[in-house]
Structure formats: structure tokens, C-alpha cells
Amino acid sequence: MATLLRVPEVATGSTEAVLTEWLVPENVAFEAGAAIAVLETDKAAVEVEAEIGAMVLRRLVDGGSTVEVGAPIAVLGAAGEDVSSLLAELRGAEASAGAGEPATNSSGGPAEPSPARIFASPLARKLLKEAGIPLDAVAGTGPNGRIVRKDVEAAIAQVDKPATTIPEPGAKAVVADAAFEEIPHSRVRTVIASRLTASKQAIPHFYVRRTARIDDLLTLRKQLNAVSPAKISVNDLVIRAVAVAHGTVPDANVIWTDDAMRRYRTVDIGVAIASARGLVTPVLRNVASLSLSAISAQVKGFARQADEGRLPQKDLEGGTITVSNLGMYGVDEFAAIINPPQAAILAVGAGKPAPAVVNGQLTVATQLTLVFSVDHRAIDGALAAQWMAALVTALEEPLRLVA
């Protein structure tokens, strides 16, 4: 029996996605578990997998379209199956959606015939209302002429385009201000801005700063890279050190919820990656059980997937802490914003030679500046200080990282 393939909720709380491409042609059989289409969310591209073996009898949405969660995008069924009745039901459902009770005139009788109903997604209606653009001024490109987000964006761009006027004879020509250009926000940039603003508004941040001498760490890294096929970075070692610190101070491996403190049994760590598509923070699972080479391989894999827009949503969720490293750009020190619902983020600067007192003697050591941003609801000052002490010890005594 023919069924409708609908857009799943590929990200928690998501209301729409972009169907970037179809992976199977129409009228070609596929097996259960096969990838049918690719949906792009605010952070990643997710493949929609078939629950049963079937074929796409009719596509309802073209590649590149913005689609709402729950909206039908294709009809699935067996070869030669008649789908005309299903399509008719779908058109009828869309026609009746939001129609309400029959209209009446002031005397209670039937109203005069009204213009044909214009179909538009709730988001499209909201955006058009905010922009002051009537529905009938926009041509819909969605299924059955439905107005979707990209249609609204195109209409708004057309309205915002400066009109070309012919000056009156003798009038001075007006020259447009060329001092700047406006670059529309990408979906990823918009989501990042929203999440970080909400984080600073809702989470009471406080910061703990320490420096660590990492000469022994650099020596260990050199020794490991001499024999390991996977090259270990300083950031890989820092990630491992964070796992050691969480193991030493397990009360810091928590997140705050409205009802309770949630303490985790495994150490899952987010890694901030500046990809070609924007900032993402995929999560390494159970880092305490991973070797340094495994950490390195996973981080490199995440970076490749992020650049390609192929990070699964499941890899972008969870964790209690994120590591954000700007040391490769020569940044000495910075304070990062917590990635909710996590409770902390560690900002890592560049390791640089600096004066240091070691065993009462003044010397030059490679020092790494660390700033620990903490959710004060979940982790208080004394606990944060204990955690930072454990982290610095792990970095300055790096054999703990390979034990």
C-alpha cells in the first residue's frame, strides 16, 4: 500500500530543513535502511533512511526546497501501484487545512464566493506578516504551489532592492553609499548567534584562569609521533587531559536541568571545529576509554565531515564540556561562551616561551594559558578550582595521559 514519506525531526526542536538532494530516482526499488534523501539542518546534513523496502513512486518536493518537519516529500510504494487517490487526499487535506468554518455574511447566510485559498507554511505566513507583504503578492514553489520560506526570502529581497529612478531634468544624480555591503546571514550563522545569545542571557558564567608548563607534554608528543601512524596534536592531548580531570573530579562532569543536577558516568567532550560551513561542536564519546590515536582520528574525521556538511545530528548532541582551541592562530588567551546545555567550556590559547620559576629557579618554559568558563548553577568556584588543578597536573605530568 502506498504511503507518504514525511520529513522527520532531524534535530531536537527543529521546525524545518532543506532537502538538498534525492539519493534514489523515481520508480527504482530500494531496500530497508537505504538512504533516500539528504536533509540539511542548521548544523549538518542528515540522510533519511527507508524504514521498509519500496520505491519512490512520486516526488512531491524538488531538491533545494525548504520543507517543514512532518510535511510529505514523496509517495512510496510498490511498482505500478496507483497513487492517484492518495494524491487526491493529500490535495484535499491541504485545501481544508486552516479553512475553518464556512464563511457567512452579516445576516447569517452564506458569504459571497471568495478568492481561491493561498497555501503557505506557518513560517512563511509569519515572515510575510512581519515584512508587510500580502500572501497574494508571492508565488509559491512548494508542493501544489505552497508558499515556503525560500519564496518569502526572494520576495523580501525583491522589496528591499533599491528602485531605479530616472532623475528629473537638471536634477543631481543620487550616488548609492558604497562604503559597505550587506551579506545575508547563513542558516548556520543565524543559529550560532541565537544559541550564544541565549547562553549568555540564561547561564551565569564565571571564569577560572590557569597556566600550565607543557615542555614535557611537547616532548611526549614528539616521541609519540615518531612511532604513531596517526599524528597527535596538542589539542588531542588537551582533550585527553580534560577526560583525566573529569575522572579526578567527577562532580564537574555534570549539567544543570530545571529539576535536578545530572551527573554522567562517561566523559563526553565536545570539540569546537571552525569548518567551511561554520562553527560546529561534535562530541567525542567516552574519551577516558580512547587512546590518543583514536582521539586524533575521530577529531580529524569530524573536521572532514563538518567541511562536507555530513555530520550526523547524533554527533552534535550531548557532552558536558567543550574544548575550544585558538592557539593555532597565535591567540594568547580568550574566554569562550558555554554551549548549552553543557556546563563548561575550556578555552585554550597558544603555548609560548615565558619566564617561569621551577624548583625555586628562574627559567624559561613553554606555557599554555587556559580559561575555564563555568555554569555557576552546576559548578561552584571551589569545584572549578579543583578541576583546573587536576587539568594542569595532567598536562604537566603527561604520562597520566597514556596510563
Side-chain angles (χ1 to χ4, degrees):
M1 180 178 179
T3 59
L4 292 173
L5 174 65
R6 297 181 180 273
V7 179
E9 186 180 14
V10 293
T12 303
S14 63
T15 59
E16 64 177 10
V18 176
L19 195 157
T20 55
E21 62 177 314
W22 287 100
L23 301 178
V24 296
E26 290 184 338
N27 299 313
V28 174
F30 52 78
E31 298 180 352
I36 301 176
V38 177
L39 293 174
E40 184 176 343
T41 67
D42 299 316
K43 290 186 175 181
V46 178
E47 293 182 345
V48 179
E49 296 183 350
E51 295 183 358
I52 60 172
M55 63 174 55
V56 176
L57 300 177
R58 181 74 63 85
R59 293 176 182 171
L60 304 178
V61 176
D62 293 329
S65 300
T66 299
V67 288
E68 295 179 14
V69 169
I73 55 176
V75 179
L76 306 182
E81 191 169 355
D82 183 11
V83 299
S84 57
S85 60
L86 182 59
L87 292 175
E89 290 178 10
L90 182 60
R91 286 192 291 268
E94 289 190 342
S96 62
E101 296 296 326
T104 59
N105 57 28
S106 58
S107 62
E112 295 298 321
S114 58
R117 173 176 165 77
I118 300 175
F119 301 108
S121 70
L123 177 62
R125 289 178 181 274
K126 177 177 180 293
L127 294 175
L128 285 172
K129 182 178 180 181
E130 292 174 351
I133 301 175
L135 278 173
D136 57 9
V138 181
T141 61
N144 301 314
R146 185 182 181 88
I147 299 173
V148 293
R149 179 173 180 168
K150 70 173 184 178
D151 303 322
V152 178
E153 292 173 343
I156 293 174
Q158 189 64 33
V159 170
D160 290 342
K161 186 183 296 182
T164 302
T165 58
I166 301 176
E168 293 292 332
K172 294 183 179 180
V174 177
V175 179
D177 186 351
F180 62 87
E181 62 174 330
E182 291 190 348
I183 303 171
H185 299 310
S186 67
R187 291 167 57 85
V188 172
R189 176 57 59 188
T190 300
V191 170
I192 291 172
S194 175
R195 287 178 62 84
L196 294 183
T197 299
S199 175
K200 287 292 285 186
Q201 290 174 339
I203 298 176
H205 287 59
F206 81 96
Y207 309 92
V208 178
R209 178 185 179 278
R210 287 285 303 266
T211 57
R213 297 190 303 274
I214 60 168
D215 294 282
D216 291 343
L217 184 83
L218 297 177
T219 299
L220 174 64
R221 173 177 178 255
K222 184 177 180 180
Q223 292 170 344
L224 290 171
N225 284 338
V227 298
S228 173
K231 299 305 179 185
I232 309 300
S233 70
V234 171
N235 201 53
D236 299 331
L237 293 162
V238 171
I239 293 169
R240 177 66 174 168
V242 168
V244 171
H246 265 33
T248 305
V249 188
D251 284 346
N253 190 21
V254 296
I255 65 170
W256 173 270
T257 72
D258 291 337
D259 300 319
M261 192 83 75
R262 187 174 297 170
R263 185 166 64 186
Y264 287 83
R265 295 186 177 90
T266 61
V267 180
D268 301 336
I269 302 173
V271 183
I273 295 175
S275 74
R277 294 170 176 259
L279 178 67
V280 291
T281 53
V283 178
L284 290 166
R285 311 290 176 181
N286 200 8
V287 178
S289 68
L290 299 178
S291 66
L292 286 167
S293 58
I295 292 172
S296 177
Q298 286 198 31
V299 172
K300 290 182 175 68
F302 282 152
R304 287 192 299 271
Q305 288 177 293
D307 284 338
E308 297 167 359
R310 297 285 182 176
L311 272 172
Q313 188 64 33
K314 63 181 178 63
D315 286 339
L316 296 168
E317 298 175 345
T320 61
I321 184 173
T322 289
V323 173
S324 180
N325 192 334
L326 294 179
M328 65 286 293
Y329 300 108
V331 174
D332 293 330
E333 175 184 333
F334 69 105
I337 299 174
I338 297 169
N339 181 31
Q342 296 179 356
I345 184 168
L346 180 70
V348 183
K352 293 185 176 181
V357 177
V358 179
N359 298 324
Q361 299 295 318
L362 182 63
T363 185
V364 174
T366 305
Q367 300 203 59
L368 186 68
T369 302
L370 308 160
V371 179
F372 192 35
S373 303
V374 180
D375 181 347
H376 213 325
R377 299 170 302 177
I379 302 173
D380 61 25
L383 184 61
Q386 292 173 32
W387 187 89
M388 279 291 273
L391 177 69
V392 170
T393 297
L395 292 172
E396 293 186 343
E397 300 175 8
L399 289 180
R400 296 171 181 267
L401 308 182
V402 293

